[in-house]
Amino acid sequence: MNTETLYEIATNDKDGIMDEQKYLEINKVIDKALDEFLENKSSNEEVFKNSSERKGFYFSLVREYEKSYQKPQKCMYPGCDSQSIIYSHSLQRGGGIQIISENSHVYWPVFDERSGKMRIEKIGINKASTFPGFCNKHEGVFSVFENKKEIEYENEIKLQIYRTLCRELQVRRIELANNIKRRDEYLSLQNKRFAEILSKHLVDVNFDITIKDIDIKREDFRLYYMNKEIDELEERVSFIRKKYYYPFSKDIQKGTNNIFYKAIKLDHVVPVCLAGAGYISYTKRNKKTKALIIMNVFPQDGATLIILATDRNSKAFLERYISHYSQSALMALDLIESWMVHVTDHWFVKPSIWETLSEKRREKILSDILDIRFGVLDTYGLSIFDDIRKYMLTIIDTEDKWDKNDETTVSFLMKERDKLRDEETYSIFPTTDILKLKGYMNSGL
């Protein structure tokens, strides 16, 4: 706190003028108040009164985000200034979601701010996969395939990729606005906490002073992480908008060719619909390059369509990525499960399939979704679709070609078989680790 701010704290002195002796005495009082405010610095509770208040502050951000997500935003279609509806779909209503639904409902993962954990929630197919994306007029752009059971043609695939991208951009914009709001609320809370302590010390020495406004201008480790997260979100929003949204919009409006995509058709119905985006860094011509990978998963009649897309500049990387996962049906299944846990929580699964998993494994999968240390390039070590995996392994066993497989293939198949076994106990990713990764608790860094 600087000297000018000391005067601006406010006084009841005539004309707001403070004599030198009184000024020096107030300086001492403020020093004592600051000492008290910072005395618990080692436990990092100087702003939050207790751990419950700290958790509540962080998890209320999730609640505010969910409220914002249910409000109209500006239409995502280029050049449109109309307000969006709140139920734009990022996945076909009449396609994959309808196919995997039971009693017109599916399951999807939701964060519960009260417990600080992920839970599975039932949702109707009319509201599943919705976001505040497009106005009524431009929602109609996607009507060419909205109620079809399959996505077949190139223009339909590009439209689907485009609206998955638009959802990703809208999600990050809302997240950024809420993070800025939360940072400002934290600054206000920090000032309020110090003002409470200072008022108590002023009363103790019989100073008749009213604190009108105070700003201690101090960045603690939480503010450091908040500002870091805001900077990263601002960079991400700018990155998506410039490198993907504008070029992809030209493809939709003018038929240009900026979207590069590849599709894998799996001859098994994997009962999940997914629309998400993940970020990767790779080296291209000795230069570090960032890219956004968009993925959609659609169950169809007797098959599953997996679409992966990026911009033309990242074509070579995506081709290698898809080539790896299209080596076998088991690897394609791994790709889907890894994205469900490590990349995006925007997926919808057939309820009875989820219910067949043991309670311990369901809890483990949901807790792993919160572990933000993993991403697009990481595989997942547990099975979500047991019956499909068993069927695939049975076919391999029936072919009886184990003696012809190399060591790498045998190792891969053994790991796939191990994914089906439930452990006695699983390590659960704890709420405290989320707060540490997000910077709301001191991680010792």
Side-chain angles (χ1 to χ4, degrees), residues 228-270:
K228 184 172 178 285
E229 192 165 19
I230 287 168
D231 289 344
E232 288 171 354
L233 279 168
E234 286 175 338
E235 183 183 351
R236 185 163 287 186
V237 166
S238 177
F239 172 71
I240 298 171
R241 190 173 59 243
K242 291 177 182 176
K243 193 171 180 181
Y244 293 88
Y245 174 71
Y246 291 135
F248 284 21
S249 295
K250 286 182 181 179
D251 281 21
I252 302 306
Q253 291 180 305
K254 300 179 181 180
T256 52
N257 211 22
N258 296 297
I259 299 172
F260 174 75
Y261 73 89
K262 285 275 189 178
I264 303 172
K265 196 153 189 178
L266 187 60
D267 292 331
H268 302 271
V269 179
V270 182

Side-chain angles (χ1 to χ4, degrees), residues 28-257:
K28 291 179 182 177
V29 173
I30 289 173
D31 286 343
K32 286 182 179 179
L34 279 170
D35 286 343
E36 182 178 333
F37 181 66
L38 300 176
E39 71 182 0
N40 292 323
K41 192 173 181 180
S42 60
S43 63
N44 297 295
E45 295 296 352
E46 69 274 11
V47 174
F48 298 118
K49 292 178 178 177
N50 51 53
S51 61
S52 295
E53 185 177 71
R54 182 187 61 230
K55 289 179 183 178
F57 180 86
Y58 168 64
F59 294 139
S60 65
L61 174 63
V62 180
R63 186 166 58 251
E64 288 299 317
Y65 166 79
E66 289 173 351
K67 286 180 181 177
S68 299
Y69 204 68
Q70 296 300 317
K71 295 176 182 176
Q73 306 288 331
K74 183 181 174 183
C75 176
M76 295 293 294
Y77 201 81
C80 182
D81 292 322
S82 299
Q83 288 243 299
S84 73
I85 60 174
I86 59 174
Y87 293 129
S88 289
H89 283 80
S90 57
L91 291 161
Q92 289 170 285
R93 255 176 316 197
I97 289 182
Q98 178 74 53
I99 290 170
I100 66 171
S101 68
E102 293 174 332
N103 297 318
S104 297
H105 285 79
V106 288
Y107 280 174
W108 72 313
V110 175
F111 184 79
D112 186 343
E113 74 274 2
R114 289 168 296 182
S115 64
K117 297 178 180 180
M118 297 295 293
R119 59 182 169 82
I120 281 288
E121 188 174 279
K122 184 185 286 188
I123 187 170
I125 59 174
N126 288 330
K127 289 188 177 181
S129 86
T130 56
F131 73 109
F134 302 96
C135 65
N136 274 311
K137 175 184 175 183
H138 291 118
E139 182 73 4
V141 171
F142 307 96
S143 62
V144 293
F145 66 94
E146 186 59 47
N147 293 310
K148 291 175 63 176
K149 288 189 175 181
E150 295 186 1
I151 293 178
E152 302 173 276
Y153 306 111
E154 183 174 29
N155 70 307
E156 295 174 352
I157 291 174
K158 285 195 170 186
L159 281 169
Q160 177 56 49
I161 292 165
Y162 180 66
R163 68 176 179 179
T164 301
L165 171 71
C166 286
R167 180 191 172 274
E168 176 68 14
L169 178 55
Q170 195 74 295
V171 165
R172 299 306 156 216
R173 282 174 172 170
I174 294 171
E175 190 178 356
L176 173 60
N178 278 279
N179 272 270
I180 291 172
K181 180 182 177 183
R182 186 56 25 145
R183 190 263 316 274
D184 293 344
E185 287 176 356
Y186 182 79
L187 285 167
S188 177
L189 182 61
Q190 180 176 257
N191 292 334
K192 180 184 175 184
R193 286 286 183 263
F194 178 70
E196 289 171 356
I197 293 170
L198 179 57
S199 294
K200 181 185 70 175
H201 281 272
L202 289 170
V203 169
D204 288 345
V205 293
N206 298 315
F207 273 122
D208 184 19
I209 291 177
T210 302
I211 299 174
K212 293 179 182 175
D213 186 36
I214 194 165
D215 184 1
I216 63 174
K217 300 210 180 283
R218 168 181 172 270
E219 182 174 87
D220 61 11
F221 79 92
R222 291 190 192 92
L223 278 173
Y224 167 79
Y225 277 100
M226 286 182 196
N227 287 325
K228 184 172 178 285
E229 192 165 19
I230 287 168
D231 289 344
E232 288 171 354
L233 279 168
E234 286 175 338
E235 183 183 351
R236 185 163 287 186
V237 166
S238 177
F239 172 71
I240 298 171
R241 190 173 59 243
K242 291 177 182 176
K243 193 171 180 181
Y244 293 88
Y245 174 71
Y246 291 135
F248 284 21
S249 295
K250 286 182 181 179
D251 281 21
I252 302 306
Q253 291 180 305
K254 300 179 181 180
T256 52
N257 211 22

Side-chain angles (χ1 to χ4, degrees), residues 168 235-236 239-240 243-244 276-284 287-295 308-311 313-322 325 335 339 342-343 373-379:
E168 176 68 14
E235 183 183 351
R236 185 163 287 186
F239 172 71
I240 298 171
K243 193 171 180 181
Y244 293 88
Y279 301 82
I280 55 102
S281 294
Y282 64 96
T283 302
K284 182 179 180 181
K287 185 180 178 182
K288 200 89 168 177
T289 303
K290 288 194 303 183
L292 182 72
I293 306 297
I294 297 163
M295 180 162 161
L308 287 146
T310 188
D311 66 308
N313 293 328
S314 300
K315 173 183 175 181
F317 171 84
L318 189 61
E319 285 181 325
R320 290 195 302 272
Y321 187 73
I322 292 177
Y325 280 106
L335 173 65
W339 270 68
H342 291 325
V343 184
R373 294 172 296 180
F374 301 96
V376 172
L377 301 177
D378 297 296
T379 55

